[in-house]
Amino acid sequence: MPPIATRSNCCWLSPPSDIGIEPSRLAIADLDAPLIGDFLRHLEDERGNSVRTRNARLAAVIQRVLSIPPKRFDRALVTYLTDPEIDALLAAPDPGTWTGRRDRVGVQTK
């Protein structure tokens, strides 16, 4: 089985030295729950990484093992408002209340 890492990108998943495998020689078959668990504990306990970093590393391992590419998506951006939308936005705050006057100033300020 081909290695899953190269020397340049394997430093984030370094197996314990007692298993006798260089990180660049790790294969998917070498990854089991105890090895990954030990690695995650090592991140938190010895390297002082946060839980977020630990979870990011776990997600990367899972993604690599399952060969699931990340999904990208396009987000529609609102680049402008039409004249009726601007009028509705400006008319929305109630000038008869303190919060309405505050909101109206916030909406009208450039």
Side-chain angles (χ1 to χ4, degrees), residues 11 17 35 37-40 44 48-49 54 60 68 70 78-79 106 110:
C11 59
S17 58
L35 175 67
D38 288 344
F39 168 69
L40 296 173
E44 287 186 89
N49 291 136
R54 174 215 183 266
I68 301 172
V78 177
T79 56
K110 288 185 180 184

Side-chain angles (χ1 to χ4, degrees), residues 10-15 38-50 53 57:
C10 66
C11 59
W12 61 269
L13 180 58
S14 296
D38 288 344
F39 168 69
L40 296 173
R41 276 187 291 283
H42 166 77
L43 283 179
E44 287 186 89
D45 299 341
E46 295 178 33
R47 292 173 70 181
N49 291 136
S50 69
T53 300
R57 296 293 189 247

Side-chain angles (χ1 to χ4, degrees), residues 5 11-12 19 21 24 27 38 45-46 50 54 73 76 83 89 92 94-95 108:
C11 59
W12 61 269
I19 67 169
I21 300 173
S24 62
D38 288 344
D45 299 341
E46 295 178 33
S50 69
R54 174 215 183 266
F73 64 94
D83 287 338
L89 183 66
D94 179 10
Q108 290 177 343

